[in-house]
Amino acid sequence: LPSMLMFGVILASSGLLLMIERGILAQVGPPPLHPPAGLSRRDGRDSTAELELEVLRDTRNRTIRALCGQRSMPRSVWELPPGQRRTVLRHLLVSDKYRFLYCYVPKVACSNWKRILKVLDGALESVDVQGKMDHKSDLVFLGDMKPEEISYRLKHYYKFIFVRNPMERLLSAYRNKFGEIKEYQQKYGVEIVRRYRKNGGNSAGDDVSFSEFLQYLLDEDVERMNEHWMPIYNLCQPCAVRYDFIGSYERLHADANHVLEHIQSPSFVRFPERQAWYKPVTAETLHYYLCNTQRRLIKELLPKYILDFSLFAYPLPNITSEFCRQ
């Protein structure tokens, strides 16, 4: 259903693919909306940012309501096919003490959120504790519970998710997994090079190009993708799970503080600062990679991630010749 829906979204707008090709959508922001009632412009410095944030959230909410309101869309996790249901339930982390569900998305600060869950549960002393993050132990996954326990929590708990620009997330996954993690180089890198490069049989998988990675994604079944590059829609199913809050990587600390305040976490629990060794994907870095990649690859890959772009109000990448010459 999601695969058919992706193509339906594209075909429903007859000019979308042409606009993608010409880069027309690349700089299109959310549609202009009247500010919601009660939004006051206290001063010229803060009111613009507040208004932009309100417009962004309103755009996301309207888009999700419109899409998820279609008859064919699932209304609950129990209406999902078994494979899709397993995926979302094993990405929903549970805090019974603070009554919330968090759908973790790899490459969207999920390690830090897992640290917070462990601190809230008493399994970790502080979010600043150094060491390799264990992504399984001391965490409670909704998928490990009984059906009636799952239904209760989905109905009564506060539910949130954090999202990120799809292409930026893919680039982050590529640089991390194929540039630093030997396990991924051996498991995926060797196969990617063998499949897409002539005489690539001797590669150790640590030299995968970004273009080869995108070609691999283009040929992959979305439902069978690794979680680090599976679309957010497929990981968290925002139609089957009605999230109360959608935070963004671009406003990570402000949105994280909003969630922590809402769940009434202890005052000593704060969202961790970025590690000194971490090298973020900048706009310039993304620009460089996209502009040095075949446009055909990017245009053909966009339909697989079109729901992440549209539902979460991210502009499509600008890969026009004019922009890339800058």
Side-chain angles (χ1 to χ4, degrees), residues 72-295:
S72 58
M73 298 306 294
R75 297 293 194 276
S76 75
V77 296
W78 308 115
E79 295 182 18
L80 293 169
Q84 295 177 23
R85 182 165 61 247
R86 281 194 299 271
T87 295
V88 65
L89 290 180
R90 73 167 178 248
H91 282 85
L92 281 165
L93 292 170
V94 183
S95 172
D96 282 328
K97 184 176 181 180
Y98 291 91
R99 295 177 65 86
F100 71 78
L101 301 177
Y102 159 60
C103 186
Y104 79 87
V105 178
K107 309 312 298 178
V108 191
C110 73
S111 294
N112 280 340
W113 272 114
K114 289 176 180 178
R115 289 179 190 275
I116 288 177
L117 263 79
K118 291 187 179 189
V119 170
L120 291 176
D121 196 45
L124 197 64
E125 181 179 345
S126 166
V127 295
D128 297 320
V129 171
Q130 300 297 316
K132 184 176 174 60
M133 178 65 186
D134 188 329
H135 290 267
K136 297 295 181 184
S137 66
D138 300 317
L139 293 169
V140 180
F141 296 85
L142 193 60
D144 293 334
M145 296 183 170
K146 298 177 181 179
E148 59 272 18
E149 296 173 329
I150 293 172
S151 294
Y152 177 85
R153 286 160 177 79
L154 284 170
K155 182 177 181 180
H156 296 286
Y157 281 19
Y158 180 72
K159 299 173 287 295
F160 68 93
I161 178 179
F162 274 71
V163 299
R164 186 178 186 179
N165 180 298
M167 293 307 297
E168 184 180 300
R169 177 173 169 252
L170 289 182
L171 178 56
S172 178
Y174 162 76
R175 295 207 306 172
N176 173 238
K177 299 308 175 187
F178 298 106
E180 303 171 6
I181 312 298
K182 196 162 187 176
E183 177 188 351
Y184 276 77
Q185 295 169 357
Q186 294 174 342
K187 183 175 181 179
Y188 295 98
V190 171
E191 170 62 20
I192 290 173
V193 173
R194 184 195 65 78
R195 192 187 300 183
Y196 300 111
R197 190 186 307 172
K198 290 183 180 180
N199 304 319
N202 295 324
S203 171
D206 58 353
D207 59 344
V208 176
S209 71
F210 189 56
S211 293
E212 290 169 338
F213 174 57
L214 295 189
Q215 184 63 59
Y216 168 72
L217 297 182
L218 187 59
D219 294 337
E220 276 288 279
D221 180 355
V222 168
E223 296 298 333
R224 298 183 180 182
M225 282 184 175
N226 179 279
E227 64 177 8
H228 289 84
W229 43 80
M230 181 181 284
I232 298 174
Y233 179 90
N234 299 81
L235 288 173
C236 295
Q237 296 289 344
C239 288
V241 179
R242 302 301 173 91
Y243 293 97
D244 300 290
F245 183 77
I246 299 175
S248 64
Y249 189 82
E250 295 76 22
R251 283 180 45 88
L252 183 56
H253 278 81
D255 285 352
N257 287 336
H258 172 86
V259 171
L260 292 174
E261 288 177 10
H262 185 90
I263 64 173
Q264 298 182 337
S265 69
S267 59
F268 69 86
V269 177
R270 53 175 177 74
F271 197 80
E273 294 296 328
R274 179 180 291 161
Q275 300 290 332
W277 51 262
Y278 181 74
K279 297 180 180 178
V281 174
T282 65
E284 291 77 17
T285 307
L286 183 60
H287 180 198
Y288 173 82
Y289 274 91
L290 293 181
C291 288
N292 284 280
T293 301
Q294 292 179 359
R295 294 183 196 173

